[in-house]
């Protein structure tokens, strides 16, 4: 609320005092036994963990205090490109917290977890319909986990046919998780160039698409916010050499109900439920990265999968089933989905809590509402782009490629840098003083001084206007007063620019304790 | 317009005008090739008002038997610990719930400080000097450690104790295929009682580990609840896996000893850093996170200093701002995918920041003395429960090793039917071991977990219900 | 030390030293006379860990049949409306939950602005120009209006429609004794059907009001769910209560017409300000507040401009700071007890600020169109329900007046037993009118409330269950 | 988080746009009927209420935004004297929100609300024990409502004996609700002087205690934070003239388990559950003000009361009872408590949600913990007082009366005003810049430039030290730099000093709408 009132950066370990505590241990209600019987000395901890010693009020005040040193979506515009910082409905927190969901043990018997399994099955069906692909696994924990699953599926698919294809094509605009994933899955990245229109350079693709190619990973619209005009040709080329197409679903918010990855020819899609489907970002997770796949990939899916079985009067008897359906975990029945599974990617069944939220969202909006999501997301992005042009911002921050955009757009800060001597980083930091979260910066890599702006559908026109005006004001300020103002920014934040180099050189990554 | 969007008719007209198109449709027509445009509405149920969505999700919840609805002794990786109310409050604060990864540190000091504190707490808990800010969850944390081992020593074998959680072993196998590594399982001593039964067989462990072994994995306590001799396993791994011949530089290619921990036991159990372990990984759910049918939770990842620059995941570091003020940033980002791309130490991006907040707040809440007291309580109750249950006719200890908060039984009756009988009496007696491991030797195995929420009365009730169920089952199906 | 206190042994020593005493005990010994010092411990159960307190309170909760546990048609002042999740979130934010009355406006702009917005919303809803920031709850809001009337015109009689909620009438009586005022109840037209039955008898109302009448009270809709002819009641009260002889200054001592409203009906029902009412009071629970077994909720209080300086309760006003920036303050504080003391317009201090937050957020959530749509939905469902239920054999309308969201039935069977039968079928058919009013004429009366949470399927179920219960009851106890 | 980021003061009515909405109405699932049938035109609203037109994200951002313009207890020290701003355990919010409590209708049949009634009964018992008085009503909504109940009880008590006593004695240090209540209850306030020790002037009392006195209202410790040394004598005097003693429980936090109002001779006590028993203050409520009374007052208690009945096998049959007990609402059975009731003070049974929290608190701490509350509250207050003396603050801000204090103390700003030319108001406003909520100011009235400081037991010594140092710093600043700094304060708050005179002169109490 004011600089002087904002709490210090003392950590919880620097607070408290000996013997203070928030925890009161439940009473020992069983007969005491001697220490050695309970746990022989040689297994016992030598030095106690120096955890904090604080009262409950101290904990609350500490964390409420530092929470105020965060900017957050509920407090302001957060146009972080590629991240889809859309409104997080509180209903989702309410339903996820219901004890029947939140306090359900993952090893509860399926017959006694029918609600959860039904929810998962319903969600699988909905995601399959949205993706235009028939089979879904909800297991991956986030986007990059979904990617890993996807590349491994591709590998398994080829290996199953006796092929050891080692190349994965990724455009130079790809998100870092794409190449990182490829390596982890034991394959090799081959970069594809971007053409003048901002799409895949089809000639380059044609040149590189050979029998060693396992897969092409793509996000469409891509990280430039552009829908690839040649997607059909690209798909044909890739399929032509026997490779699969992987769809990075981070940008799905542009096309829900408008265009489906499956219809574009993709074999595997991951969803980012924390982007398109409102799972709150939590300061960097949790997320959830379900995948949808085509028939030819289904056999390799991670297990368990959630299946629905029709049951007769007998199965319905125990009251656990609804309308004759019973839901179960399937570990890959012969010939079906998961039957030649790549295996497990994690413990249990995925981030169920995130699935609950995504499911609530889909049920809230339905087909019509979800299409409105994408329509509005694209409208907002194009309007903001147009508004920036109207305000003359485009002169210094031109659109990197194309004229229109999908749900986000990428500006180049090159002209600004040359004309006004401020970099994209300076612009971003100065935006902080205006109360906005900056766009994603310096990504994608091929755009000079890139600024990637994704307003999302849940923002009002007023907010878009205010943001456009802030950008214009910063440019005007630089033109009039020189670059120093922006270069010194931010001024009004809890801390100012931080020395990241020093942090990495001599890393201090925990509180020194005495 | 939906309840989450805000384009009024006037807004729409002005916006289209500014853009220079006649309709939203035109934006798509001009950008999405007709061949891939969906020409129909999605086949999804129509949208619903908030109250109807709530009612539907509540109906689904009511069709689950949660830990609120029965006396549950389920564990095997996730446990029904009491989550104090202040954690809900903090995790629901907009300031923690709704931002993303702290890319702009000036306006993300809250989240970054939480990471820094979390790292400190995990270092303390594991007695290891470095920790990241968490990864996805338990089993994949082990897989991440395997990748780190590969990057570190370039060796190609992963030796894994069979007494680890089956999900961990399965996950390691999945990832290892990608890494191009081989997984070798080390059997454990027969699980049917005997003093050392239920633990990793030390000789086999030593034999399995060679100079091409990149990392060796065990769990403490292991999947069967048994306390392993961690010092011996670590020492044996280091010795057996030393380079051949031993290199002049002191063999820093030796296999990494990776221990999967249950954090809640670390108040009483010797810490990884105290018994020669290189990397501690584990499922963080017991630390202030809900059961949530298995996720989201968090994966613990701590290590010796030498591995710092090869760790996966986010790491927060301390620094100063231009005014010399203390602050925190994401550091060592050159390890990460967004900088290092195909040479990154991991592909992880979105992780489990909010869950890590829950964990560090929980540890602050438990506190220095509390984590020991809680550990002692679990020891005592677990000891009591084990004695009570093994006194039942037809119920035996699967092993007699020390246990902390979970132990394995062997029933002389079909576990599935016994569990079903108990369930009808409102008691979930624990996990059917064989159903999870698929191992013949685990037939009859029941894994019983104790938390501070399971009182003596609950344990006594379990004893009575289990005794009745086993008796009934033996009567029904004479041995 | 408890979990909420923080005095370490070192702290204690330093603190005692600074104070100059040897022990905490000494602080009491030196200040509390020995004769009134408690020489034993309080006879209370020992303290418990958080999890045990939670378990105990959950056990108690489980022994209540809440609106989650049955299909409930209970109303009569508090209603089971859906409270959107964002209200919980906002009411639980530390920034709203934990401060006190905004005595320091510079650091309380959030709370003050909420009050200001709440006042605006209530003025809009009631079509009256001034509103306070809420009082305790419904019935005592009526009593506060009586005090305002007394201060305003110095008259001594309170005329009250018998068709008001019995709690309102009872509360008015209690307070009136303190005010030195007399309460006169105006009967209503016989409640057994007939077009105007169930409403205040206009002639009796007119007759009861005289030139010593300070205020006249009616409810809209009234306790029986019936829509009153508010215009007629207001006009009659003003005419009958005019000063005798009429004063030159236009008789500003005329009785205040006080209308008790159900805010949720005001999307469709003529607003108090549109029918000559001077003061609107009411129970605010339907606006985004939980049932909470009857409280806390909030009392609505809006009036014509002339009463502004005699209103009870906090009022937020707009102003500017020294820099000319817009801001809000508690205003007209000279009405209040902390300034005016024995001459205050009310003794109220701590009120219902948090509940008023819930109310204004709810109204923003419903929105301009939503409150009308909701009203129309309630009208339609209530109409349907009334038709369905009065078609049952042995079930009649208690009156045939228009209703909005609640209506009264008359059963040809014992209401208590019928209700008990319905309860066993999982349906709570509504309020036993006579049990609440104690009036003989209300025998057989059942008050059925409809909210947007009660679907047609619920209503049909009520119909079937009630029909069966009434039939069974009539069979068991032949008339 | 920074001035520029802090949201504006635009109200929700100034946001949004035509047709925007957060609410989606459930579908009309019954046959449509024509408008006139449903509600004739003459009963229909003429002009629509101009409520806001906003989307859900707009609502969230608006209210989260303005919430940041509040100071709150979870964020900092709040030593507001007489208000007991102690930590609010979040457990209490959790248990109060359980559907079995939060979604229980007040007219649910007692047999089907046994948990709630048992809770209320248990709380009654605990409060009776704490007060040292046998009967409790949980009905009053807050402290002043409890006072009103209490004065009416006194009146009823006397009237029942055929006496019409019209005077109520209140010390000149009394809280404003005391005299305001007396008038509302139709009695007259007679002020008592304060003696040199800060207690009731016993001579003045003796002079005024006559047969017209209905009651003496007192809080003990009083609003000076002092325990009246003559309480036994005072009680004897008041009882001697046949009057009752009323205990304003706002200061109970000083004496829980230490000294009981009943044992001091009081007949009627109100509790402020939002002070001593942790109900969060909510920005000014909700509160709860139960009363405890002596035998001779019990018959007049407001009804319904909660009673416990032992039941035999028969009553236990329906499963609704625990250990043979059944709880019920009692409307005053012959001769017993409530039998000659003053009536109802409000609808339903009181602020049950607050009762749940208070009950959870009492069960959390137990007898020992509650005594620790008062011991620590008194320790903290005395330490802060001593620390202020050590820092030389006492020179300018001397303790108004006495040497020690109970849970709070009152300083006089008179010397400061004379020596440094700053008033208590200036000091308070300057404290805002230091991140502290100021103490209660200008109360009690008889202390010149009063500052009433109540640290509560839940604050750490570190916080007390920091507060003392802030006070010392402000005084030093005034001594060194003159009074202007403090007189111009605050500087770092969302708004600065506000024109309260203008606000009252031409009141604008709602948003102008167009
Ligand atoms: C285009 C793109 N692909 C993949 C990812 C990775 O997703 P996650 O962070 O969920 O692992 C992201 C997320 O930032 C992304 O923007
Ligand atoms: C001494 C004293 N008495 C009475 C009251 C009135 O209590 P309430 O605000 O709960 O009505 C207060 C509260 O501020 C007080 O401090």
């Amino acid at each position: 609320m004011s600089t002087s009132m904002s709490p210090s950066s003392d950590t919880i370990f620097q607070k408290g005092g000996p013997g203070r505590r928030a925890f009161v241990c439940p009473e020992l209600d069983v007969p005491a036994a001697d220490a050695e019987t309970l746990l022989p000395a040689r297994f016992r901890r030598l030095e106690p963990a120096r955890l904090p010693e604080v009262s409950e009020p101290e904990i609350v005040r500490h964390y409420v205090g530092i929470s105020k040193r965060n900017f957050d979506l509920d407090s302001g515009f957060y146009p972080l490109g590629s991240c889809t910082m859309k409104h997080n409905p509180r209903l989702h927190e309410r339903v996820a917290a219901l004890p029947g969901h939140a306090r359900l043990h993952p090893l509860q018997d399926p017959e006694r977890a029918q609600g959860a399994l039904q929810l998962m099955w319903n969600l699988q069906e909905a995601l399959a319909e949205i993706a235009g692909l028939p089979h879904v696994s909800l297991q991956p924990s986030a986007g990059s986990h979904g990617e890993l699953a996807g590349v491994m599926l591709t590998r398994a698919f080829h290996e199953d046919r006796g092929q050891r294809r080692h190349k994965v094509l990724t455009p130079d605009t790809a998100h870092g998780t794409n190449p990182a994933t490829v390596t982890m899955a034991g394959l090799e990245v081959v970069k594809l160039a971007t053409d003048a229109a901002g799409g895949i350079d089809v000639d380059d693709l044609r040149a590189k698409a050979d029998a060693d190619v396992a897969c092409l990973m793509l996000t469409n619209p891509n990280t430039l916010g552009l829908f690839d005009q040649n997607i059909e040709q690209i798909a044909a080329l890739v399929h032509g050499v026997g490779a699969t197409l992987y769809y990075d679903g981070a940008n799905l918010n542009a096309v829900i109900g408008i265009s489906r990855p499956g219809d574009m020819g993709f074999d595997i899609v991951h969803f980012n439920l924390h982007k398109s489907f409102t799972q709150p970002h939590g300061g960097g997770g949790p997320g959830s990265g379900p995948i949808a796949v085509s028939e030819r990939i289904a056999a390799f899916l991670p297990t368990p999968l959630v299946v629905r079985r029709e049951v007769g009067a007998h199965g319905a008897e125990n009251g656990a089933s609804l309308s004759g359906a019973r839901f179960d975990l399937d570990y890959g029945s012969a010939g079906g989905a998961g039957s030649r599974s790549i295996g497990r990617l994690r413990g249990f069944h995925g981030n169920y809590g995130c699935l609950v939220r995504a499911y609530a969202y889909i049920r809230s909006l339905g087909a019509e509402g979800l299409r409105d999501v994408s329509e509005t997301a694209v409208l907002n992005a194009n309007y903001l782009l147009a508004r920036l042009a109207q305000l003359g911002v485009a002169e210094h921050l031109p659109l990197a490629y194309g004229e229109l955009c999908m749900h986000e757009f990428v500006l180049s800060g090159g002209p600004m840098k040359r004309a006004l001597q401020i970099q994209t980083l300076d612009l971003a930091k100065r935006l902080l003083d205006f109360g906005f979260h900056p766009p994603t910066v310096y990504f994608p890599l091929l755009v000079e001084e890139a600024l990637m702006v994704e307003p999302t559908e849940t923002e009002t026109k007023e907010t878009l206007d205010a943001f456009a005006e802030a950008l214009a004001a910063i440019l005007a300020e630089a033109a009039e007063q020189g670059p120093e103002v922006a270069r010194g920014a931010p001024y009004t934040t809890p801390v100012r620019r931080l020395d990241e180099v020093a942090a990495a050189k001599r890393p201090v990554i925990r509180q020194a304790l005495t | 317009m939906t309840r989450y969007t805000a384009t009024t008719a006037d807004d729409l007209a002005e916006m289209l005008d500014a853009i220079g198109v006649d309709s939203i449709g035109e934006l798509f027509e001009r950008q999405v090739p007709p061949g891939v445009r969906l020409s129909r509405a999605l086949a999804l149920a129509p949208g619903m008002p908030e109250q109807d969505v709530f009612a539907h999700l509540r109906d689904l919840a009511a069709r689950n038997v949660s830990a609120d609805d029965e006396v549950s002794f389920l564990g095997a990786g996730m446990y029904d610990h009491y989550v104090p109310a202040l954690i809900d409050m903090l995790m629901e604060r907009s300031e923690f719930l709704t931002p993303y990864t702290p890319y702009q540190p000036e306006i993300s000091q809250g989240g970054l400080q939480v990471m820094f504190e979390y790292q400190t707490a995990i270092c303390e808990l594991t007695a290891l000097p470095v920790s990241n800010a968490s990864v996805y969850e338990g089993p994949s944390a082990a897989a991440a450690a395997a990748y780190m081992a590969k990057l570190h020593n370039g060796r190609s074998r992963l030796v894994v104790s069979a007494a680890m959680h089956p999900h961990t072993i399965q996950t390691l196998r999945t990832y290892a295929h990608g890494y191009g590594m081989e997984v070798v399982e080390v059997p454990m001593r027969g699980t049917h009682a005997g003093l050392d039964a239920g633990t990793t067989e030390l000789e086999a462990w030593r034999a399995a580990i060679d100079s091409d072994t990149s990392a060796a994995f065990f769990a403490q306590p292991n999947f069967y609840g048994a306390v392993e001799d961690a010092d011996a396993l670590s020492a044996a791994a280091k010795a057996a896996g030393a380079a051949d011949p031993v290199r002049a530089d002191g063999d820093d290619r030796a296999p990494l000893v990776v221990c999967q921990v249950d954090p809640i036991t670390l108040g009483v159990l010797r810490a990884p850093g105290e018994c020669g372990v290189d990397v501690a990984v584990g499922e963080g759910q017991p630390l202030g996170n809900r059961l949530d049918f298995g996720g989201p939770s968090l994966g613990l990842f701590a290590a010796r200093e030498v591995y710092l620059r090869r760790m996966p995941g986010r790491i927060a570091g301390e620094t100063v701002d231009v005014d010399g003020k203390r602050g925190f940033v994401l550091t060592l980002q050159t390890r990460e995918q967004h900088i290092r791309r195909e040479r990154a130490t991991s592909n992880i991006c979105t992780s489990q920041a909010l869950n890590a907040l829950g964990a560090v707040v929980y540890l602050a809440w438990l506190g220095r003395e509390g984590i020991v007291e809680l550990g002692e309580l679990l020891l005592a109750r677990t000891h009591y429960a084990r004695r009570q249950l093994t006194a039942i006719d037809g119920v035996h200890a699967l092993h007699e090793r020390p246990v902390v908060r979970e132990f394995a039984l062997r029933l002389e009756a079909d576990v599935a039917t016994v569990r079903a009988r108990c369930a009808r009496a409102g008691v979930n007696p624990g996990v059917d071991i064989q159903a999870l491991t698929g191992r013949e030797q685990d037939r009859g195995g029941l894994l019983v977990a104790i938390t501070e929420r399971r009182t003596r009365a609950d344990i006594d009730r379990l004893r009575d219900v289990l005794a009745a169920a086993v008796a009934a089952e033996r009567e029904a199906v004479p041995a």
Side-chain angles (χ1 to χ4, degrees), chain B residues 270-335:
Chain B
R270 186 157 299 185
E274 293 176 336
C275 38
V277 164
D278 296 303
V279 185
V281 295
E283 173 53 57
Q285 180 275 335
L287 304 178
N289 276 257
R290 329 197 272 218
L291 290 167
D292 270 343
F293 201 45
S297 58
L298 68 154
L300 310 178
F301 200 110
R304 290 204 293 120
E305 189 95 35
V306 62
Y307 304 110
L308 175 58
R309 286 170 198 271
R310 290 215 171 92
M311 299 242 290
R314 312 284 183 196
I315 298 176
E318 182 176 336
T319 188
V320 290
D321 76 357
V322 289
D323 299 329
K325 222 165 155 186
R326 185 189 198 189
F328 305 95
V329 292
L330 289 179
T331 195
L332 304 172
Q333 294 194 63
T334 48
R335 298 165 300 116

Side-chain angles (χ1 to χ4, degrees), chain B residues 6 23 40 54 87 104 208 231 310 317 392 404 430 459:
Chain B
S23 67
R40 60 166 176 87
F54 175 73
I87 290 188
Q104 298 288 344
D231 295 85
R310 290 215 171 92
I392 298 172
V404 182
I459 295 167

Side-chain angles (χ1 to χ4, degrees), chain B residues 139 160-174 183 185 439:
Chain B
V160 180
S161 160
M164 294 188 87
H165 195 295
H167 289 177
T168 304
I169 301 174
Q170 291 160 25
T171 302
L172 273 170
R173 287 194 182 282
T174 307
V183 173
E185 235 176 273
R439 291 194 194 117

